Amino acid sequence: MLRLAGARLLDERDRASVRAALAVDPVASCMVAARIDALGLDPWRLGGELWGCEPRGRTSRLDALCFAGPNLIPLQGNRSALRAFADRALSRRRICSSVVGPSEQVLGIWSELELDWGPAREVRAEQPLMATMGEPMVLPDPLVRPVRPDELDRYLPAAIAMFIEEVGVDPRAGDGGASYRARVAELIATGRAFARFEGGDVVFKAEIGALSHTVGQIQGVWVRPNRRGHGLGAAGTAAVVDRLVRGMGRVASLYVNSYNVVAKAAYRKIGFGQVGEYATVLF
């Protein structure tokens, strides 16, 4: 068996090898690929570092990748590679708010990090990763549209409510919500936040959180509580899928908590099928 060298920082000289590694599973690697497609591999522009491992003596191929930034995202790698990534992560102060990615890699690296970084606030070990390349099988809601920049203040309360419900913490904690507001404003400005408004209020929302050259990952799907159970979630998500598949020529993907039976059923009805499994460790 070939031994893996220690994890090293990747840069622009590794671009071809990185692209080849990301192409092995473009749906699972969408979050990292989207950053690299837009920003390259320079850590200052990327907002984090991309680490890699390769078998000794075979430097033309990367066997393992891990992004270290606002989130720690181990994408590929066997036990030896994950241990090398963990060693590198432990050599500095933790700055990430979560570990997220393919479940085998996330749970593997967490077993190396838990003693020093734990306890976690929550470990979501089973999150089906779903994707569709076809037009939605549910009629898209024609009232779901991109949010305009001047609608930020109307959209933001729904985004905050979704975040608290999904993540379990208030995104306004710490800086009064300035950083979260800036992130939402960026999604709106790039045409990746979608909503249905009724009487000035958001009753459905969703975002394209990551957009690589081939895949778009949907996030933040939310329906106002008093409107749930009426099909707004499925029809609204179908509208975003339609925008991704027909409008942008991308595969539409998302991941969902395994216990969310209602959401999984709605996504399957739209046309999503499970293509993998994610896990998330929340701090």
Side-chain angles (χ1 to χ4, degrees):
M1 178 182 294
L2 290 167
R3 291 176 57 83
L4 284 166
R8 66 178 179 86
L9 177 65
L10 303 177
D11 58 31
E12 288 295 341
R13 293 170 293 183
D14 300 293
R15 181 176 283 267
S17 296
V18 169
R19 286 192 177 278
L22 293 173
V24 171
D25 191 342
V27 175
S29 65
C30 177
M31 285 189 288
V32 175
R35 280 181 172 267
I36 294 170
D37 287 348
L39 302 169
L41 287 169
D42 178 78
W44 289 101
R45 298 188 64 225
L46 190 60
E49 296 182 348
L50 188 67
W51 305 335
C53 290
E54 62 267 304
R56 294 185 187 279
R58 293 179 59 183
T59 56
S60 63
R61 179 170 65 85
L62 291 167
D63 272 12
L65 288 175
C66 182
F67 174 74
N71 303 299
L72 186 68
I73 309 175
L75 286 177
Q76 301 166 12
N78 62 17
R79 193 73 185 182
S80 296
L82 295 175
R83 189 173 299 116
F85 292 145
D87 288 344
R88 192 171 183 107
L90 290 171
S91 69
R92 63 193 71 186
R93 179 178 60 89
R94 179 179 67 82
I95 61 171
C96 63
S97 61
S98 70
V99 184
V100 60
S103 59
E104 181 179 356
Q105 279 67 43
V106 167
L107 298 178
I109 200 170
W110 179 238
S111 71
E112 304 287 341
L113 296 171
E114 184 175 9
L115 185 63
D116 294 273
W117 281 10
R121 181 167 57 84
E122 185 179 356
V123 177
R124 299 178 180 180
E126 298 177 2
Q127 297 176 301
L129 178 65
M130 309 180 81
T132 178
M133 293 179 286
E135 295 180 20
M137 295 188 293
V138 170
L139 187 66
D141 185 343
L143 298 181
V144 170
R145 59 170 176 80
V147 180
R148 300 189 307 266
D150 65 293
E151 295 173 317
L152 171 61
D153 288 332
R154 294 165 61 195
Y155 181 82
L156 193 59
I160 292 170
M162 176 280 305
F163 194 96
I164 293 172
E165 187 175 323
E166 175 62 24
V167 182
V169 297
D170 192 327
R172 296 166 294 185
D175 64 357
S179 59
Y180 186 68
R181 181 185 177 92
R183 171 58 177 159
V184 172
E186 179 188 7
L187 289 169
I188 291 174
T190 54
R192 287 158 48 191
F194 300 83
R196 172 173 171 154
F197 291 89
E198 290 183 0
D201 296 324
V202 174
V203 296
F204 167 86
K205 66 164 289 292
E207 298 144 3
I208 301 171
L211 186 67
S212 73
H213 288 325
T214 57
V215 180
Q217 189 177 85
I218 299 170
Q219 67 176 28
V221 178
W222 179 87
V223 177
R224 196 167 70 186
N226 66 351
R227 296 299 308 278
R228 292 174 185 175
H230 301 286
L232 285 178
T237 304
V240 182
V241 169
D242 189 61
R243 177 64 64 97
L244 273 169
V245 173
R246 289 202 310 127
M248 299 182 183
R250 271 29 175 227
V251 173
S253 76
L254 50 77
Y255 62 101
V256 59
N257 292 317
S258 60
Y259 55 77
N260 196 337
V261 177
V262 173
K264 288 191 296 183
Y267 296 145
R268 292 192 185 99
K269 186 177 180 181
I270 292 166
F272 283 95
Q274 184 169 349
V275 297
E277 186 170 82
Y278 262 26
T280 303
V281 179
L282 295 167
F283 301 114

